[in-house]
Each structure stands twice: as C-alpha cells, then as structure tokens.
Amino acid sequence: MTQDYQNQKPVVLDVLAAHQAMPGNLLPILHGIQDNLGYIPADAVADIAAALNLSRAEVHGVISFYHYFRTTPPGKHVVRICRAESCQAMNGRTLEKHATQMLGIDFHETTADERFSLEAVYCLGNCACSPAITIDGDIYGRVTPEKFDQLIAACKGAQ
Amino acid sequence: MTRVFVSRDSTALSLGAGLVAKTLATEAQAKNLTIDIVRNGSRGMFWLEPLVEVETAQGRVAYGPVQAADIPALLDAGMLEGKQHPLFLGNIEQLPYFKNQNRLTFARVGITDPVSLDDYIAHEGYRGLKNALAMQQTEIVKHVTDSGLRGRGGAAFPTGIKWNTVLNSPAEQKYIVCNADEGDSGTFSDRMVMEGDPFVLIEGMTIAGLAVGATQGYIYLRVEYPHAHKALNEAIQAAYQGGYLGDDIQGSGKAFHLEVRLGAGAYICGEETSLLESLEGKRGLVRFKPPLPAIVGLFGKPTIVNNVISLASVPIILDKGGDYYRDYGMGRSRGTLPLQLAGNIKHSGLFEAAFGMTLRELLYDYGGGSASGRPIRAVQVGGPLGAYLYDDQFDTPLDYEAFAAISAVLGHGGIVVHDDTVNMAEMARYAMEFCVEESCGKCTPCRIGSTRGVEVIDRIVADIDKAKNVELLRDLCDTMVCGSLCAMGGMTPYPVLSALNHFPEDFGLQAARA
Ligand SMILES: Cc1cc2nc3c(=O)[nH]c(=O)nc-3n(C[C@H](O)[C@H](O)[C@H](O)COP(=O)(O)O)c2cc1C
Ligand code: SF4
C-alpha cells in the first residue's frame, strides 16, 4: 500500500459503506471515490473488490471500460474539449490543436506543473453553441482560441 | 415583486447566464429595486441567450442576448417595466421561430421555474397522472398506443407495444428505466427537458410505472450533464415531498420510486442493453436479443427502457388523450419531434414540430442558413450513426419512413450542419475513429473493422491503390452492417458511405453524383 493510499483508504471505505445496500452499486461507488479523491487509486481496487465480492479483474475491467474514470491524479484544473461533429463544424479541430499547443500536452495528459489536465469528450450537449469546452464544473460555448487563452489565463490568475 | 427570468440551462450558462443573473441581483439591490429572479429553462433560441424575460403588466417581455455589462443600462432604460432598449425583443412567443412550433412536449420549458412543483401544477402539470390514476392499466397503455408515439431515442419502436409487453410479463418486480445518455453530437433535447421541466419526465415515468406495475424507476443520466443532474434531483425531492413519488402516490396506495444514476462517458451505454449492464454495475457490453429487455431487463426483470423525450411526451398524451397527440404528424410518424439545430447554423436551437416539415424549411426558414454565411454543404441528421445529406436531399420531409427511403435516419432529431469548408473524407474517417473509440468490443467487425476502416480511408485519401481501396471500404462497410450485434457497428457505415457516395470529390474521386 502506498503512502498516499493510507490517507485515501478511509475515504474509500466510507464510500463503500455508504453504498452497501444499493443494487448495482459499482458505478456509484466509483463516482463517489473519484468525486472525493479526483481519481481511483490502484490500491482501491482490492478494497472495492473485497467489499462487493468481485474479483480485482472485474473491478479493473469496469474502471477501464468507462472513459470518465481515471486512475491517475488530475491536474488542478481539468479542461475537457468536445471533439464531436457539431464542434468540428464550428472550427473545433482548430481549437483542439490550439489547446494542445498552448498547454503543451496532448489529450489525456497533465502539464508538468500539474496545473492542467486535458481530456477529450464526445458531446457536452452544448451543440447549439459549438465549439464547447468545460473547465472543472463550468461550461463555455462558442470558444475561439482567443477565448480559450482568456479562460486559461483566468484559471492561472485564480490560483 | 417583479419576476425576472434568467435561464439555468447549460447552454445559456455557457454563454454567461450565471453572471447575468448574479449581476442583475446586485444591481437591482443597489438601485433598491425588488425583483424575484427565476432560473427557468431555455426557450431554445440560443442566438438570443442569455435571455432575460420580465413579467410586466403587458405580459412577458424579453431582452437578449444580454451580457452582464448590459444590466445597468437595461435597468436604467426601464427593463422592469418592459420599456424599449436596443436589446428589447418584446414577446418572445410572437417570433416566428417560436410561434410556428408545436410545443407539446416542451410546453413549459423556458416558461416555468423548473424545480417548482407549484409552478408545474399551475401550468397543467400532473393532469396526465391524475387521469392515469383513475384508469385501468390496459387503458393507460391503450392511450399510449393510440397516440402513435414511437421511441424518440433513435430506433422509433412503438412505445405502446413495448409497454404492453412489460404489462403482460408477470413478475414481482418490474422497472422503468429512462435512457438519458443522450450521446449523439448535435442533440440536446433530453438535456433541455431535464434542466427546464424535470417534472414532466418524472410524471411520464410515474405513469409508465402505473401502467405496467413497476414500482422502481431509474434515470440513467450521462455524467456530462451536471446541471441536469442537479435539476432532476431537486425536482425528485420536491415530488417526494408533494406526495407525487413514494409509497402512496396522491393517496392511491400505489408506489413509485425514482433515482438518478450517472453514466461514465461511454457512448455505447446509450444502447439499451449496454445501459442495463452499466446500471447493474458492469462494463457496458451489449447483450444479445432476445430476450428483450421488456421481458428480461434490469436485474433480469421486465423493464421499460425509454428515451427522455418518449417518456416526457406521455403526460400530455394522458392529459389530452392519445388522439390529440396522434392528430399531429404525417404517415406513421405521429405527434411531434423536438428537432435540434446544431453545428454551423445561424439560429441554432430547439424546434419542436409536428412530423412532415422539410429539412430545407427547417435549415433556411428557421435556421437562417449557416452561421458562417457560407453555403450549407452537408447535413448530418440523427447523430454520429446518421447519414450525411446533401442539398438535393433537403426537401425530404422529416418523417421516419421518408428518411429511411433515402437511406438516412431521423434518430433523436439532431441536425448538425456543415458549410462548404468541410472535408467529407475527414468526417468519414472521424465516423470510423468514433467507432474505434466507443465500440463495446463484443463483435469483430465493429471492434477491428473500424480500425481497418480508418486505415483504408487514409489510403484512399493518400491515393494509394485508390480503386481497390474504395472497393475494400465498401466491402468492409458491408461486413460491419451484416456482422454487428448493434447499431454502433451496424450503422457506422451510414455516415461513411453517404460521405463517399455524396461527396466523392473529397476522397479524390470523380464527382459522379447519381
Ligand atoms: C450505439 C447506440 C447508442 C444509443 N444511444 C442512445 C441514447 O443516448 N439515448 C437513447 O434514448 N437511446 C439511445 N439508443 C437507442 C436505445 O438502444 C433504445 O432504442 C432506446 O433507449 C429505447 O427508447 P425509446 O423507444 O423511447 O427510443 C442508442 C442505440 C445505440 C445502438
Ligand atoms: S456492434 Fe460494436 S458496440 Fe455493438 S455489440 Fe458489437 S462490438 Fe459492441
């Protein structure tokens, strides 16, 4: 068990206890852990498996199936860029390129200073105002490269 | 106290509605004006968002698009009395875009406070449930069957027939599952209902529960919709408190419980059996059918799986009768479809219309043409698995059968517009890439075929053995259509082949459009 997980384990056990009686509880548990810790630590898999009477492979299989669950800590801010058709129709591909260059990382990566993680999403339901991104919990529409820079600068200013 | 409406809809928020509401509150306070800010859903005219509506003696008066910086001037101009200002729009319901819709399912969206039970009831809410509580189960199902409602999630299966199957499958426990995974790019009608009128979905699911004898409902909501999540949970709580959910619905002795469950970013979990697997806590692998979910569904029990819009259309059907709903539409497409104009279109938004309007009317008369001002070149209807259409096909009426006749689909009613800068070979490649990314992995043609598809398109574009590779691509698409268990692999060829057939020049082929 890693040092980190010693601190994280009580959170995982709390989440497991809170969902004990719920039918079909694995996804709610994984959400609960990720909401609290920012990701699902590798060491948590054994605890989840034990609590739900599943094999570790089964739990791991579920975590890896879903794009949203992550197994590494995210940066301070998570930027999600929609890559789907509607956003492409409004210069989304240009925005994607700009964002990766500006942040200096590719999708599914985190900047070296751990400030930003960049994720791809396929539709945010904001297709009437493409291209769309989210930064942490906030959604933005009609995002040009200039607007992207402003939003990133605002994140930097706020820390 | 003057009621002022500023939307809590995600798209309005993405344009700054949150800050508008906040600024309005502080500015009004500074000016000693007492206002009641209602965070409503959106009217769905997103080029006017953030929209501010004021309840005045002359009715509701709208201003838009409003930015926070406009607020002081608007208040000074007399916005609270509905006075003139450059952003003045008057009664929004008189604009042709709104006036010419048939808002049945969206009757309250943008008008009421989405999470106020009182507001819902004051605007004809829960009348369908009241009628349903006085009916036999078969009678409820009959109304839904008579309405002609077909599933709005994509497959257009008659809702009444599905409900009847669940009704006639005896079991101690049955379930109502709402498919709120809305994964198609270019669609947001489910989201708008859940954010703008969550009670109508709750009512629809409750009626479904009564109809088939199910006491537990789940809304499987995509994790990308946090604002819908919040609105649904607020409304569900209010419904429990008001006796509209729980063990004894309105003193009837009948029970219905409802819970929201979150997905985790997998497009395939919108497919109903994958969704059920996910709800059970597993990987979203598509199940073989039969057995149908209506017979062996969630946790092995008879289950109704319906799309948000299907379920949200039920209250008006039970309120006004199946015939009322059926009187809208054409052919075998009855009622209305909430269409979603997205991508490169000037007047993007939600347009609920009776089936039968042509795509061209929608794109030009209401959509106003492209946002860029350039010619519209390609339009994808029905999500990422829908065909790309070109100008000659724009006169097709929005009708399930008319679309099927041109090898296209209406699906969930999403319409993504591309102007003439689009490269259709890139879009075809993207369709294959999307399938690589989102395949559940169960069938080889879908899992591996899509990867090969990307490679073959790359070779065609790079001019390597062009004729041979075009043939190979067609062959591959054929294998995917015939050898896939679900529409993920089975319909990815729709966008690919329609791009190839309608826009061959983008693949470096001779333009020989039939
Ligand atoms: C790959 C794939 C994705 C789908 N995504 C959705 C979705 O996001 N929402 C939805 O309601 N139906 C979706 N469907 C259709 C469902 O399988 C199912 O037909 C629908 O939920 C039934 O409800 P309805 O009859 O009310 O449309 C999808 C189907 C496939 C094959
Ligand atoms: S077609 Fe694709 S997504 Fe559908 S069951 Fe087969 S592998 Fe899974």
Side-chain angles (χ1 to χ4, degrees), chain B residues 268 271 285-286 435 438-444 446-447 483-490:
Chain B
I268 193 58
E271 195 283 333
L285 293 185
V286 172
C435 189
E438 302 296 336
S439 166
C440 85
K442 199 155 177 162
C443 344
T444 315
C446 171
R447 188 184 67 238
S484 298
L485 182 57
C486 84
M488 182 79 231

Side-chain angles (χ1 to χ4, degrees), chain B residues 258-339:
Chain B
L258 187 54
E259 191 183 320
V260 182
R261 289 287 179 92
L262 289 181
Y267 178 76
I268 193 58
C269 288
E271 195 283 333
E272 58 185 2
T273 62
S274 164
L275 185 157
L276 294 175
E277 290 287 302
S278 183
L279 264 180
E280 292 181 6
K282 302 176 197 155
R283 291 187 294 155
L285 293 185
V286 172
R287 295 178 184 170
F288 289 100
K289 284 192 273 193
L292 293 172
I295 297 166
V296 183
L298 185 63
F299 302 119
K301 299 288 188 267
T303 303
I304 288 182
V305 183
N306 269 140
N307 172 255
V308 173
I309 301 296
S310 311
L311 289 162
S313 300
V314 166
I316 195 165
I317 291 168
L318 267 291
D319 176 13
K320 309 213 162 152
D323 297 353
Y324 175 86
Y325 190 80
R326 194 185 51 209
D327 282 346
Y328 292 86
M330 71 174 276
R332 286 174 50 220
S333 306
R334 310 312 315 175
T336 60
L337 183 63
L339 296 148

Side-chain angles (χ1 to χ4, degrees), chain A residues 23 31 66-68 123 125-126 128, chain B residues 11 191 261 263-265 278 282 348:
Chain A
H31 275 296
Y66 295 95
H67 301 305
Y68 180 78
C123 199
N126 205 35
Chain B
T11 296
R191 179 184 64 64
R261 289 287 179 92
S278 183
K282 302 176 197 155
S348 61

Side-chain angles (χ1 to χ4, degrees), chain A residues 22-24 26-28 31 61-62 65-69 83-86 88-90 93 122-129 137 139-142 147, chain B residues 10-11 14 46 185-186 188 191 222 225 259 261-265 278-279 281-284 342-344 348 380 384 416-418 426-427 430 437-438:
Chain A
M22 190 185 235
L26 183 49
L27 262 73
H31 275 296
V62 171
F65 183 85
Y66 295 95
H67 301 305
Y68 180 78
F69 295 132
R83 305 188 73 178
E85 291 90 338
S86 176
Q88 291 182 38
M90 291 299 278
R93 288 183 187 222
Y122 295 91
C123 199
L124 292 162
N126 205 35
C127 325
C129 296
I139 185 161
Y140 302 93
R142 297 190 197 126
K147 187 163 166 188
Chain B
S10 296
T11 296
S14 84
F46 289 112
S185 175
F188 44 83
R191 179 184 64 64
R222 65 200 303 257
Y225 283 180
E259 191 183 320
R261 289 287 179 92
L262 289 181
S278 183
L279 264 180
K282 302 176 197 155
R283 291 187 294 155
N344 199 330
S348 61
Q380 189 178 29
V416 176
V417 180
H418 295 263
E426 269 180 18
M427 299 317 294
Y430 172 81
E437 194 76 18
E438 302 296 336

